[in-house]
Amino acid sequence: MLRLYARGSGALMPSDLHAPEAPEVVWIDLEHPTDEEEACVETALGVDVPTHDERAAFEDSARFYEDDGALVMTVTLLGRREDGPFKADAVTFILVRDKLVTVRRIRPRAFEIGQGRASARVAGAQTGAAVFLALATGSVERLADLLAEVRGGALTVSRATFDDDNGTLNLSATLRTLGRLGTQATMTHESLSSLQRMLAFVSIVCDRHGLDAEAVRALARDVEELERDGEALSQHLAFLQNAAVGLVSSAQNNALRGLALATIAFAPPTLVASIFGMNFEAMDWFKTGWGPWAGFALMLAAPLALFALARWRKWF
């Protein structure tokens, strides 16, 4: 889908123009573009739009470069989450002739004009460079929100895990929740790392493409701080996961302790009963009047002796 946004009366508005090269057009947004739409933009602006395979490359040289006066930058962002998990994919920004071209296959929240605080910043932009900074800032703000969401979830799990004195916590559900939070934190950290690499490159070439160097440096500092927060949060999640696994092991040990007590209580009497059930002629004392009472006494004394030994050795 090809969307064009042009300067309006003080705001960036969707345009009915079908010419990306028109002077009024500031932002050309390609979402799931067809070959014809990519060719249209390439012909109109004289720029090479990277294919999806090219945008999936991880090397900095393939993601951040200048091409015949155009600034090409590819970062990994998270798409809008509906009812399922987040989806991460490459999003390409191309600054050329004071216009911004974006190529994407996901729907980041920062790209949705008219929805959320980031959209107001985008709507007020009047140049391609300003739109780029607005989208980058909105993306960073969204990632900060996601980290805050993970932090809140981690605190909730922490309180539920360590305040569960009655042992009623569903540890399987806790581990699944921690896995989901860990995945979200990892994807967010990956996106922040990608943005940091992009901003480091942009800070070198911003003067040649009309970008505000101070705004780029400020945004880079914010991303660096968020990356540190993400690393600390990942360590906290790893601690909680280890604690939950330890509680699972403790619960299993309690179950095994119960089985051990049952073994102490029933195994020795079973052995005594088996011995008394032997019909050897030489074991005639089993047939005397006091034989059954001796068997009952042994059945009682054997588990008591084992129980006393276990308590002495502090097995439980």
Side-chain angles (χ1 to χ4, degrees), residues 9 30 57 59 71 104 114 140 142 156 164 189 203 231 244 282 310:
S9 55
L30 291 166
E59 300 83 2
L71 178 61
R104 57 193 174 96
V140 172
R142 178 56 179 157
T156 299
D164 182 36
H189 187 271
S203 64
E231 291 174 358

Side-chain angles (χ1 to χ4, degrees), residues 51-313:
T51 65
H52 184 261
D53 290 338
E54 292 172 340
R55 290 185 286 118
F58 192 73
E59 300 83 2
D60 283 358
S61 59
R63 286 198 156 205
F64 316 115
Y65 58 90
E66 292 179 287
D67 181 18
D68 195 20
L71 178 61
V72 183
M73 302 156 288
T74 301
V75 294
T76 300
L77 296 179
L78 302 184
R80 172 182 281 276
R81 178 180 59 186
E82 301 298 343
D83 296 325
F86 284 105
K87 179 181 179 182
D89 198 13
V91 176
T92 297
F93 300 91
I94 305 174
L95 275 175
V96 55
R97 299 183 189 174
D98 201 28
K99 301 179 187 294
L100 175 68
V101 181
T102 55
V103 189
R104 57 193 174 96
R105 297 177 67 179
I106 56 175
R107 298 176 59 200
R109 190 183 296 271
F111 282 65
E112 298 177 356
I113 292 183
Q115 301 183 31
R117 64 179 183 272
S119 66
R121 190 181 297 107
V122 176
Q126 294 294 302
T127 65
V131 174
F132 165 72
L133 286 176
L135 291 175
T137 303
S139 299
V140 172
E141 290 176 350
R142 178 56 179 157
L143 293 173
D145 292 341
L146 294 180
L147 282 180
E149 180 181 317
V150 173
R151 185 179 296 106
L155 291 176
T156 299
V157 171
S158 178
R159 285 193 292 266
T161 301
F162 297 111
D163 295 343
D164 182 36
D165 298 329
N166 300 322
T168 58
L169 182 66
N170 187 339
L171 294 174
S172 297
T174 299
L175 287 173
R176 285 194 295 270
T177 300
L178 289 173
R180 178 182 60 80
L181 292 174
T183 300
Q184 182 172 326
T186 299
M187 295 175 69
T188 303
H189 187 271
E190 178 187 358
S191 186
L192 285 170
S193 177
S194 178
L195 284 168
Q196 186 183 46
R197 291 160 57 200
M198 179 191 73
L199 292 171
F201 174 78
V202 170
S203 64
I204 301 173
V205 300
C206 58
D207 293 337
R208 293 200 293 269
H209 298 277
L211 292 165
D212 186 345
E214 183 58 34
V216 171
R217 285 192 292 269
L219 191 58
R221 288 193 295 267
D222 292 341
V223 172
E224 186 178 357
E225 290 291 336
L226 288 174
E227 273 204 291
R228 283 198 289 266
D229 290 344
E231 291 174 358
L233 188 57
S234 296
Q235 294 176 1
H236 186 206
L237 290 171
F239 165 74
L240 290 177
Q241 187 173 18
N242 291 334
V245 171
L247 290 174
V248 170
S249 299
S250 178
Q252 292 175 343
N253 290 336
N254 290 334
L256 292 175
R257 186 179 295 114
L259 292 176
L261 290 173
T263 301
I264 290 176
F266 294 106
T270 301
L271 177 61
V272 173
S274 300
I275 294 174
F276 270 67
M278 297 178 182
N279 294 319
F280 295 117
E281 293 182 0
M283 303 173 70
D284 56 352
W285 63 279
F286 290 162
K287 301 176 183 179
T288 62
W290 52 269
W293 300 107
F296 293 148
L298 287 173
M299 290 181 187
L300 180 62
L304 289 177
L306 281 178
F307 183 78
L309 176 63
R311 293 292 291 177
W312 176 63
R313 297 296 300 272

